[in-house]
Amino acid sequence: MNFEIRYDNYLVDGIVIHEKTSYRDLMDAISTQLKIDVSLKRINAKYVVQGNSSALEIYNDMAVKLFLQILKVESIFGKYPLCITTSDIVIDSDGVDSR
């Protein structure tokens, strides 16, 4: 299957992360580099692996480890870029993120 992914209104940037980076450390690095106010925005990180029809989401430490393992095996620079999106944090009447 050959398909093209198109993105609107995007930036290209880069960060360096250690092979033992945690999910929290990754999100901190992304928010710092992209100047995202995490008190107002939720960060979503995804990447696409060839042969997989949908993007894989990075949502915990194990997902970070999988992503880093793929990068370690496939050393072609830029082959698996992270796609970062943000969404507004919406607080409900109880003061809880209503995500």
Side-chain angles (χ1 to χ4, degrees):
M1 174 167 52
N2 188 8
F3 62 93
E4 184 176 326
I5 299 174
R6 295 179 181 261
Y7 301 97
D8 293 324
N9 203 11
Y10 69 94
L11 301 171
V12 176
D13 208 335
I15 58 172
V16 176
I17 55 175
H18 188 271
E19 66 183 43
K20 295 187 182 201
T21 297
S22 69
Y23 174 76
R24 177 60 23 224
D25 290 341
L26 178 62
M27 292 300 114
D28 287 346
I30 290 168
S31 66
T32 299
Q33 184 68 21
L34 299 179
K35 297 177 180 65
I36 298 169
D37 183 345
V38 294
S39 68
L40 301 173
K41 298 284 186 181
R42 181 178 305 106
I43 299 172
N44 301 301
K46 295 181 180 183
Y47 62 99
V48 176
V49 176
Q50 269 184 332
N52 191 3
S53 60
S54 62
L56 298 174
E57 184 173 358
I58 295 179
Y59 57 92
N60 64 14
D61 287 340
M62 185 57 71
V64 172
K65 287 179 185 180
L66 175 61
F67 176 66
L68 294 175
Q69 187 63 35
I70 290 169
L71 292 180
K72 191 175 182 180
V73 171
E74 288 284 343
S75 60
I76 300 170
F77 180 77
K79 185 170 183 178
Y80 299 105
L82 282 178
C83 300
I84 307 300
T85 58
T86 61
S87 55
D88 292 334
I89 292 176
V90 179
I91 306 300
D92 66 14
S93 60
D94 295 325
V96 176
D97 182 5
S98 62
R99 166 176 139 153

XYZ file of all heavy atoms in Angstrom:
791
model
N 0.854 -1.170 0.000
C 0.000 0.000 0.000
C 0.897 1.228 0.000
O 1.803 1.361 0.819
C -0.904 -0.022 1.231
C -1.709 1.237 1.374
S -3.061 1.225 2.552
C -2.342 0.644 4.033
N 0.630 2.147 -0.869
C 1.392 3.380 -0.964
C 0.437 4.539 -0.729
O -0.503 4.731 -1.477
C 2.049 3.470 -2.348
C 3.018 4.635 -2.446
O 3.315 5.275 -1.448
N 3.484 4.881 -3.634
N 0.681 5.295 0.313
C -0.162 6.440 0.584
C 0.708 7.589 1.051
O 1.809 7.409 1.527
C -1.252 6.127 1.620
C -0.714 5.748 2.966
C -0.532 6.697 3.955
C -0.388 4.424 3.255
C -0.037 6.352 5.197
C 0.108 4.071 4.493
C 0.283 5.038 5.470
N 0.188 8.764 0.876
C 0.931 9.958 1.245
C 0.220 10.642 2.409
O -0.998 10.796 2.393
C 0.989 10.901 0.039
C 1.809 12.133 0.274
C 1.910 12.980 -0.988
O 1.950 12.410 -2.090
O 1.933 14.204 -0.841
N 0.989 11.020 3.412
C 0.426 11.733 4.551
C 0.698 13.210 4.353
O 1.818 13.611 4.065
C 1.051 11.243 5.873
C 0.766 9.764 6.064
C 0.516 12.051 7.043
C 1.472 9.164 7.258
N -0.310 14.013 4.506
C -0.171 15.465 4.356
C -0.494 16.137 5.688
O -1.405 15.741 6.391
C -1.104 15.993 3.283
C -0.775 15.488 1.911
C -1.766 16.050 0.901
N -1.467 15.546 -0.410
C -0.791 16.223 -1.323
N -0.362 17.431 -1.065
N -0.562 15.688 -2.492
N 0.283 17.153 5.985
C 0.077 17.914 7.209
C -0.120 19.371 6.844
O 0.535 19.892 5.947
C 1.282 17.781 8.142
C 1.568 16.358 8.540
C 2.527 15.600 7.885
C 0.847 15.760 9.567
C 2.773 14.289 8.245
C 1.087 14.449 9.929
C 2.050 13.727 9.264
O 2.276 12.427 9.626
N -1.020 20.033 7.538
C -1.253 21.456 7.340
C -0.703 22.214 8.534
O -0.808 21.756 9.679
C -2.763 21.747 7.219
C -3.355 21.140 5.958
O -2.666 21.130 4.923
O -4.498 20.668 6.022
N -0.104 23.358 8.249
C 0.278 24.276 9.311
C 1.206 23.602 10.325
O 0.866 23.474 11.490
C -0.995 24.804 9.990
C -0.744 26.115 10.680
O 0.292 26.734 10.500
N -1.709 26.533 11.462
N 2.378 23.163 9.901
C 3.274 22.422 10.780
C 4.671 23.030 10.804
O 5.047 23.801 9.933
C 3.349 20.955 10.378
C 4.053 20.708 9.072
C 5.405 20.395 9.040
C 3.378 20.772 7.865
C 6.067 20.168 7.842
C 4.022 20.540 6.676
C 5.356 20.241 6.664
O 6.001 20.018 5.479
N 5.446 22.648 11.814
C 6.843 23.049 11.971
C 7.700 21.795 11.993
O 7.251 20.738 12.412
C 7.051 23.761 13.313
C 6.261 25.022 13.593
C 6.456 25.431 15.042
C 6.718 26.133 12.677
N 8.946 21.928 11.591
C 9.898 20.840 11.711
C 10.936 21.279 12.733
O 11.460 22.384 12.663
C 10.576 20.533 10.357
C 11.640 19.467 10.518
C 9.540 20.118 9.328
N 11.201 20.424 13.708
C 12.160 20.733 14.760
C 12.770 19.430 15.226
O 12.336 18.357 14.814
C 11.468 21.448 15.921
C 12.400 22.362 16.687
O 13.626 22.116 16.664
O 11.921 23.309 17.322
N 13.761 19.500 16.081
C 14.395 18.280 16.549
C 14.830 18.384 18.000
O 15.074 19.477 18.505
N 14.891 17.230 18.654
C 15.395 17.131 20.017
C 16.304 15.910 20.093
O 16.191 14.995 19.280
C 14.269 17.016 21.081
C 13.384 15.793 20.809
C 13.450 18.279 21.157
C 12.374 15.505 21.899
N 17.190 15.923 21.059
C 18.047 14.770 21.313
C 17.584 14.157 22.626
O 17.436 14.860 23.628
C 19.531 15.190 21.415
C 20.395 14.004 21.783
C 19.993 15.817 20.116
N 17.330 12.844 22.592
C 16.895 12.162 23.815
C 17.788 10.959 24.074
O 18.328 10.360 23.148
C 15.408 11.740 23.741
C 15.127 10.880 22.507
C 14.501 12.947 23.769
C 13.728 10.331 22.441
N 17.917 10.632 25.314
C 18.739 9.503 25.763
C 17.959 8.205 25.569
O 16.730 8.196 25.600
C 19.086 9.712 27.242
C 20.064 8.724 27.769
N 19.693 7.531 28.322
C 21.412 8.768 27.801
C 20.769 6.873 28.689
N 21.830 7.595 28.392
N 18.658 7.102 25.392
C 17.985 5.820 25.151
C 17.159 5.336 26.341
O 16.323 4.452 26.203
C 18.988 4.750 24.739
C 19.968 4.375 25.813
C 20.987 3.350 25.336
O 21.491 3.485 24.222
O 21.263 2.414 26.105
N 17.370 5.905 27.515
C 16.572 5.533 28.690
C 15.582 6.628 29.077
O 15.168 6.721 30.230
C 17.497 5.207 29.856
C 18.335 3.983 29.567
C 19.128 3.531 30.741
C 19.950 2.336 30.283
N 20.401 1.496 31.320
N 15.190 7.415 28.104
C 14.243 8.501 28.331
C 12.881 7.950 28.736
O 12.385 6.999 28.135
C 14.099 9.359 27.058
O 15.362 9.955 26.766
C 13.066 10.441 27.224
N 12.287 8.567 29.747
C 10.942 8.182 30.180
C 9.899 8.991 29.397
O 10.228 9.971 28.722
C 10.766 8.452 31.678
O 10.746 9.853 31.921
N 8.665 8.580 29.520
C 7.568 9.304 28.885
C 7.545 10.745 29.376
O 7.441 11.675 28.584
C 6.238 8.607 29.186
C 5.040 9.369 28.684
C 4.719 9.363 27.333
C 4.250 10.100 29.553
C 3.624 10.071 26.856
C 3.149 10.807 29.090
C 2.845 10.791 27.748
O 1.772 11.498 27.277
N 7.645 10.928 30.685
C 7.610 12.280 31.270
C 8.764 13.128 30.744
O 8.580 14.287 30.378
C 7.659 12.178 32.802
C 7.701 13.475 33.534
C 6.559 14.486 33.359
N 5.290 14.011 32.931
C 4.532 14.624 31.987
N 4.923 15.718 31.397
N 3.369 14.120 31.646
N 9.969 12.542 30.678
C 11.130 13.277 30.164
C 10.933 13.661 28.692
O 11.307 14.763 28.278
C 12.402 12.454 30.304
C 12.839 12.285 31.749
O 12.390 13.067 32.619
O 13.625 11.350 32.017
N 10.354 12.756 27.909
C 10.091 13.053 26.503
C 9.097 14.201 26.372
O 9.300 15.135 25.596
C 9.575 11.812 25.776
C 9.207 12.005 24.304
C 10.425 12.433 23.481
C 8.593 10.736 23.739
N 8.012 14.144 27.135
C 7.012 15.209 27.073
C 7.603 16.544 27.540
O 7.308 17.598 26.962
C 5.776 14.850 27.914
C 4.969 13.681 27.363
S 4.318 13.971 25.702
C 5.233 12.759 24.774
N 8.456 16.507 28.553
C 9.120 17.734 29.029
C 10.026 18.308 27.941
O 10.029 19.526 27.711
C 9.946 17.460 30.294
C 9.093 17.234 31.525
O 7.873 17.530 31.494
O 9.646 16.733 32.527
N 10.785 17.442 27.267
C 11.682 17.905 26.202
C 10.888 18.506 25.047
O 11.261 19.555 24.498
C 12.555 16.750 25.708
N 9.787 17.852 24.674
C 8.945 18.356 23.586
C 8.329 19.695 23.966
O 8.371 20.654 23.187
C 7.848 17.330 23.227
C 8.480 16.108 22.558
C 6.786 17.955 22.320
C 7.533 14.925 22.420
N 7.776 19.786 25.168
C 7.115 21.029 25.573
C 8.111 22.176 25.671
O 7.794 23.309 25.301
C 6.353 20.852 26.887
O 7.236 20.597 27.953
N 9.319 21.893 26.131
C 10.344 22.933 26.221
C 10.771 23.390 24.832
O 10.817 24.593 24.551
C 11.564 22.414 27.011
O 11.139 22.073 28.331
C 12.665 23.452 27.073
N 11.081 22.440 23.958
C 11.566 22.773 22.616
C 10.515 23.529 21.810
O 10.831 24.485 21.108
C 11.976 21.503 21.870
C 12.570 21.761 20.511
C 13.914 22.452 20.556
O 14.612 22.414 21.564
N 14.277 23.104 19.475
N 9.275 23.111 21.906
C 8.202 23.728 21.114
C 7.470 24.835 21.855
O 6.507 25.394 21.338
C 7.211 22.649 20.653
C 7.802 21.557 19.764
C 6.733 20.544 19.391
C 8.449 22.149 18.518
N 7.922 25.121 23.080
C 7.331 26.189 23.906
C 5.820 25.989 24.090
O 5.022 26.882 23.863
C 7.637 27.560 23.311
C 9.126 27.870 23.273
C 9.396 29.197 22.607
C 10.857 29.535 22.565
N 11.683 28.660 21.765
N 5.458 24.777 24.505
C 4.058 24.428 24.755
C 3.787 24.577 26.241
O 4.490 24.003 27.073
C 3.764 22.983 24.316
C 4.000 22.832 22.822
C 2.334 22.579 24.686
C 4.001 21.391 22.331
N 2.775 25.340 26.583
C 2.374 25.513 27.978
C 1.504 24.314 28.369
O 0.337 24.238 28.006
C 1.602 26.818 28.146
C 1.213 27.111 29.589
O 1.285 26.195 30.443
O 0.822 28.263 29.862
N 2.098 23.375 29.109
C 1.386 22.141 29.445
C 0.287 22.351 30.479
O -0.481 21.435 30.750
C 2.355 21.026 29.895
C 3.243 20.592 28.746
C 3.167 21.449 31.099
N 0.190 23.544 31.040
C -0.947 23.819 31.924
C -2.193 24.151 31.102
O -3.312 24.084 31.604
C -0.627 24.959 32.882
O -0.509 26.190 32.190
N -1.994 24.462 29.815
C -3.115 24.795 28.937
C -3.334 23.780 27.814
O -4.428 23.673 27.281
C -2.877 26.173 28.290
C -2.709 27.346 29.236
C -2.323 28.598 28.457
C -3.976 27.565 30.046
N -2.269 23.061 27.450
C -2.331 22.155 26.306
C -1.889 20.744 26.678
O -0.991 20.552 27.474
C -1.405 22.643 25.176
C -1.754 23.986 24.599
C -2.937 23.871 23.704
C -3.202 25.199 22.997
N -4.372 25.122 22.141
N -2.531 19.756 26.086
C -2.158 18.356 26.201
C -1.328 18.014 24.964
O -1.673 18.410 23.850
C -3.417 17.497 26.238
C -3.193 16.027 26.390
C -4.503 15.242 26.457
N -5.394 15.733 27.506
C -6.493 16.448 27.291
N -6.860 16.767 26.068
N -7.237 16.835 28.292
N -0.222 17.305 25.137
C 0.649 16.932 24.032
C 0.350 15.495 23.613
O 0.274 14.600 24.445
C 2.140 17.040 24.436
C 2.483 18.478 24.812
C 3.038 16.527 23.321
C 3.874 18.631 25.407
N 0.194 15.296 22.306
C 0.006 13.960 21.743
C 1.162 13.707 20.781
O 1.432 14.535 19.915
C -1.325 13.864 20.989
C -2.494 14.177 21.894
O -2.699 13.525 22.893
N -3.249 15.208 21.549
N 1.843 12.569 20.942
C 2.977 12.216 20.087
C 2.678 10.897 19.381
O 2.293 9.922 20.017
C 4.250 12.094 20.923
N 2.865 10.882 18.058
C 2.628 9.691 17.252
C 3.723 9.561 16.200
O 4.390 10.538 15.871
C 1.279 9.773 16.534
C 0.082 9.787 17.455
C -1.199 9.838 16.673
C -2.388 9.842 17.624
N -3.650 9.817 16.915
N 3.869 8.347 15.667
C 4.787 8.098 14.562
C 4.211 6.978 13.704
O 3.375 6.211 14.156
C 6.198 7.763 15.058
C 6.273 6.501 15.891
C 6.689 5.303 15.333
C 5.926 6.508 17.243
C 6.765 4.147 16.090
C 5.999 5.360 18.013
C 6.415 4.184 17.427
O 6.477 3.051 18.187
N 4.659 6.907 12.460
C 4.152 5.904 11.524
C 5.270 4.922 11.192
O 6.389 5.327 10.885
C 3.625 6.567 10.226
C 3.196 5.511 9.216
C 2.469 7.503 10.544
N 4.954 3.640 11.275
C 5.882 2.576 10.902
C 5.410 2.004 9.576
O 4.217 1.739 9.407
C 5.920 1.461 11.984
C 6.801 0.309 11.541
C 6.396 2.025 13.309
N 6.345 1.822 8.640
C 5.985 1.251 7.340
C 5.229 -0.052 7.513
O 5.583 -0.884 8.346
C 7.235 0.977 6.513
C 7.635 2.098 5.636
C 8.818 1.718 4.765
O 9.627 0.886 5.111
N 8.905 2.357 3.623
N 4.186 -0.225 6.719
C 3.403 -1.447 6.771
C 2.261 -1.379 7.774
O 1.406 -2.241 7.805
N 2.268 -0.357 8.619
C 1.195 -0.181 9.588
C 0.305 0.944 9.075
O 0.787 2.035 8.793
C 1.782 0.176 10.967
C 0.743 0.113 12.061
O -0.395 -0.238 11.828
N 1.152 0.469 13.259
N -0.975 0.699 8.966
C -1.870 1.681 8.355
C -2.217 2.844 9.275
O -2.715 3.855 8.809
C -3.162 0.997 7.898
O -3.814 0.414 9.005
N -1.964 2.713 10.554
C -2.279 3.821 11.454
C -1.049 4.219 12.258
O -0.121 3.439 12.434
C -3.425 3.435 12.401
O -3.041 2.346 13.197
N -1.066 5.444 12.738
C 0.046 5.958 13.528
C 0.046 5.300 14.908
O -1.007 4.994 15.462
C -0.072 7.468 13.667
N 1.235 5.070 15.436
C 1.377 4.531 16.788
C 1.532 5.702 17.755
O 2.344 6.595 17.521
C 2.598 3.616 16.871
C 2.549 2.387 15.972
C 3.878 1.642 16.026
C 1.420 1.470 16.391
N 0.768 5.667 18.814
C 0.799 6.757 19.787
C 1.794 6.445 20.898
O 1.907 5.310 21.359
C -0.589 6.961 20.395
C -0.654 8.140 21.339
C -2.053 8.448 21.825
O -3.008 7.762 21.410
O -2.188 9.379 22.621
N 2.502 7.467 21.334
C 3.393 7.343 22.486
C 2.632 7.904 23.680
O 2.361 9.103 23.748
C 4.710 8.105 22.262
C 5.471 7.457 21.106
C 5.544 8.103 23.529
C 6.770 8.127 20.761
N 2.251 7.010 24.608
C 1.394 7.420 25.723
C 1.915 6.970 27.089
O 1.319 7.323 28.122
C -0.030 6.896 25.519
C -0.097 5.403 25.367
C -0.299 4.582 26.462
C 0.056 4.813 24.117
C -0.346 3.207 26.327
C 0.015 3.446 23.971
C -0.185 2.651 25.080
O -0.217 1.281 24.937
N 3.012 6.195 27.118
C 3.579 5.775 28.398
C 5.047 5.373 28.197
O 5.571 5.443 27.084
C 2.765 4.650 29.042
C 2.768 3.371 28.226
O 3.558 3.170 27.307
N 1.846 2.466 28.560
N 5.700 4.943 29.274
C 7.116 4.581 29.198
C 7.374 3.435 28.227
O 8.372 3.445 27.500
C 7.646 4.192 30.590
C 7.828 5.387 31.516
O 7.910 6.530 31.020
O 7.900 5.177 32.738
N 6.508 2.439 28.186
C 6.704 1.303 27.284
C 6.616 1.748 25.824
O 7.401 1.277 24.974
C 5.678 0.200 27.561
C 5.918 -1.052 26.731
S 7.561 -1.780 26.960
C 7.418 -2.424 28.601
N 5.707 2.641 25.508
C 5.589 3.145 24.141
C 6.831 3.932 23.746
O 7.268 3.872 22.595
C 4.334 4.005 24.002
N 7.441 4.658 24.692
C 8.695 5.365 24.426
C 9.794 4.350 24.147
O 10.574 4.504 23.194
C 9.091 6.292 25.601
C 10.484 6.865 25.397
C 8.083 7.404 25.785
N 9.876 3.292 24.966
C 10.900 2.263 24.770
C 10.766 1.610 23.398
O 11.767 1.351 22.718
C 10.808 1.208 25.866
C 11.303 1.685 27.203
C 11.167 0.594 28.248
C 11.553 1.126 29.615
N 11.432 0.120 30.658
N 9.537 1.315 22.971
C 9.316 0.718 21.651
C 9.801 1.660 20.559
O 10.511 1.253 19.639
C 7.838 0.384 21.450
C 7.463 -0.134 20.065
C 8.188 -1.437 19.751
C 5.965 -0.304 19.965
N 9.426 2.919 20.652
C 9.850 3.917 19.665
C 11.371 4.001 19.599
O 11.965 3.973 18.513
C 9.244 5.278 20.009
C 9.692 6.388 19.105
C 9.337 6.401 17.766
C 10.460 7.426 19.599
C 9.757 7.428 16.930
C 10.879 8.456 18.767
C 10.523 8.459 17.432
N 12.024 4.063 20.756
C 13.483 4.166 20.793
C 14.143 2.899 20.247
O 15.186 2.973 19.598
C 13.964 4.472 22.203
C 13.561 5.852 22.741
C 13.989 6.008 24.187
C 14.118 6.965 21.875
N 13.542 1.737 20.487
C 14.074 0.479 19.951
C 13.988 0.476 18.428
O 14.922 0.036 17.743
C 13.331 -0.717 20.544
C 13.919 -2.037 20.165
C 15.342 -2.229 20.684
O 15.688 -1.771 21.760
N 16.165 -2.900 19.917
N 12.887 0.945 17.889
C 12.731 1.032 16.435
C 13.790 1.968 15.855
O 14.418 1.657 14.840
C 11.304 1.507 16.061
C 10.298 0.404 16.387
C 11.224 1.909 14.588
C 8.857 0.839 16.316
N 14.009 3.111 16.518
C 15.025 4.055 16.043
C 16.425 3.438 16.083
O 17.255 3.701 15.214
C 15.013 5.332 16.881
C 13.784 6.220 16.759
C 13.936 7.439 17.663
C 13.539 6.649 15.330
N 16.673 2.630 17.097
C 17.984 1.991 17.254
C 18.243 0.989 16.112
O 19.342 0.921 15.579
C 18.027 1.284 18.609
C 19.377 0.796 19.028
C 19.272 0.233 20.436
C 20.588 -0.235 20.952
N 20.480 -0.784 22.311
N 17.229 0.236 15.745
C 17.352 -0.772 14.686
C 17.405 -0.115 13.308
O 18.182 -0.512 12.448
C 16.182 -1.781 14.765
C 16.165 -2.705 13.572
C 16.256 -2.565 16.063
N 16.577 0.874 13.102
C 16.497 1.587 11.813
C 17.221 2.918 11.960
O 16.655 3.884 12.426
C 15.030 1.845 11.435
C 14.282 0.627 11.014
C 14.655 0.190 9.603
O 15.235 0.987 8.843
O 14.364 -0.958 9.274
N 18.456 2.971 11.575
C 19.272 4.156 11.839
C 19.209 5.223 10.744
O 20.058 6.095 10.691
C 20.720 3.734 12.084
O 21.208 3.070 10.939
N 18.207 5.169 9.884
C 18.065 6.179 8.833
C 17.464 7.438 9.469
O 16.343 7.424 9.976
C 17.167 5.682 7.689
C 17.769 4.434 7.063
C 16.962 6.780 6.658
C 16.855 3.725 6.084
N 18.236 8.518 9.448
C 17.801 9.762 10.084
C 16.488 10.245 9.473
O 16.344 10.354 8.273
C 18.871 10.846 9.926
C 18.488 12.145 10.564
C 18.575 12.304 11.936
C 18.022 13.202 9.801
C 18.219 13.489 12.538
C 17.659 14.391 10.389
C 17.760 14.540 11.768
N 15.532 10.525 10.328
C 14.260 11.081 9.885
C 13.256 10.074 9.371
O 12.186 10.453 8.911
N 13.557 8.785 9.443
C 12.626 7.782 8.908
C 11.348 7.688 9.749
O 10.275 7.410 9.220
C 13.304 6.411 8.830
C 12.429 5.370 8.161
C 13.178 4.100 7.869
C 12.284 3.117 7.139
N 12.979 1.889 6.803
N 11.472 7.895 11.057
C 10.307 7.801 11.953
C 10.148 9.092 12.750
O 10.370 9.114 13.960
C 10.467 6.616 12.903
C 10.565 5.301 12.184
C 11.782 4.644 12.054
C 9.444 4.723 11.596
C 11.886 3.442 11.378
C 9.546 3.532 10.915
C 10.763 2.894 10.808
O 10.854 1.708 10.131
N 9.754 10.163 12.087
C 9.592 11.415 12.829
C 8.389 11.348 13.774
O 7.408 10.649 13.497
C 9.353 12.446 11.722
C 8.726 11.655 10.614
C 9.383 10.298 10.691
N 8.526 12.041 14.886
C 7.386 12.177 15.789
C 6.465 13.252 15.247
O 6.928 14.320 14.834
C 7.843 12.589 17.191
C 8.435 11.515 18.064
C 8.880 12.119 19.395
C 7.448 10.405 18.310
N 5.193 12.973 15.242
C 4.185 13.961 14.862
C 3.531 14.429 16.157
O 2.898 13.632 16.853
C 3.148 13.351 13.931
S 3.872 12.719 12.418
N 3.720 15.680 16.467
C 3.228 16.235 17.724
C 2.015 17.098 17.448
O 2.048 17.987 16.598
C 4.314 17.104 18.408
C 5.624 16.330 18.562
C 3.801 17.660 19.736
C 5.527 15.079 19.393
N 0.944 16.821 18.155
C -0.240 17.672 18.112
C -0.569 18.080 19.541
O -0.134 17.438 20.498
C -1.453 16.951 17.484
O -1.740 15.769 18.232
C -1.181 16.597 16.035
N -1.321 19.135 19.664
C -1.760 19.572 20.984
C -3.273 19.737 20.972
O -3.883 19.954 19.930
C -1.114 20.910 21.398
O -1.485 21.919 20.462
C 0.398 20.807 21.476
N -3.838 19.612 22.140
C -5.265 19.875 22.308
C -5.448 20.641 23.611
O -4.623 20.544 24.525
C -6.077 18.574 22.324
O -5.595 17.695 23.314
N -6.496 21.419 23.668
C -6.766 22.214 24.864
C -7.126 21.319 26.037
O -7.825 20.315 25.867
C -7.920 23.190 24.629
C -7.572 24.278 23.632
O -6.370 24.601 23.499
O -8.495 24.789 22.978
N -6.646 21.688 27.202
C -7.075 21.028 28.434
C -8.357 21.709 28.871
O -8.403 22.936 28.994
C -5.998 21.139 29.530
C -4.775 20.312 29.125
C -6.546 20.689 30.882
C -3.605 20.416 30.080
N -9.401 20.937 29.060
C -10.701 21.472 29.453
C -10.994 20.986 30.864
O -11.049 19.785 31.117
C -11.807 21.007 28.477
C -13.150 21.551 28.917
C -11.464 21.420 27.059
N -11.154 21.910 31.761
C -11.419 21.596 33.164
C -12.927 21.638 33.403
O -13.591 22.619 33.076
C -10.707 22.602 34.096
C -9.212 22.673 33.790
C -10.961 22.260 35.553
C -8.473 21.369 33.957
N -13.476 20.551 33.971
C -14.912 20.513 34.250
C -15.231 21.243 35.555
O -14.350 21.795 36.216
C -15.436 19.077 34.255
C -14.893 18.229 35.389
O -14.314 18.787 36.351
O -15.047 16.989 35.324
N -16.466 21.224 35.967
C -16.898 21.970 37.147
C -16.282 21.440 38.437
O -16.258 22.151 39.445
C -18.432 21.947 37.260
O -18.877 20.615 37.362
N -15.767 20.211 38.430
C -15.108 19.646 39.610
C -13.611 19.943 39.630
O -12.882 19.452 40.494
C -15.302 18.122 39.655
C -16.758 17.746 39.834
O -17.466 18.483 40.552
O -17.177 16.724 39.264
N -13.128 20.703 38.631
C -11.714 21.034 38.567
C -10.866 19.916 38.006
O -9.661 19.872 38.237
N -11.476 18.995 37.239
C -10.777 17.836 36.696
C -10.723 17.969 35.169
O -11.692 18.400 34.551
C -11.507 16.524 37.090
C -10.846 15.319 36.460
C -11.579 16.398 38.601
N -9.610 17.566 34.585
C -9.484 17.563 33.120
C -10.535 16.606 32.564
O -10.557 15.433 32.900
C -8.069 17.110 32.737
C -7.841 17.122 31.225
O -8.712 17.559 30.476
O -6.751 16.678 30.815
N -11.412 17.113 31.721
C -12.529 16.306 31.213
C -12.176 15.535 29.954
O -13.040 15.163 29.193
C -13.746 17.196 30.962
O -13.435 18.166 29.975
N -10.951 15.248 29.754
C -10.447 14.510 28.588
C -11.130 13.217 28.390
O -11.542 12.375 28.905
C -8.957 14.349 28.756
C -8.323 13.371 27.856
C -6.869 13.426 28.102
N -6.302 12.102 28.113
C -5.059 11.851 27.802
N -4.276 12.819 27.509
N -4.583 10.652 27.822
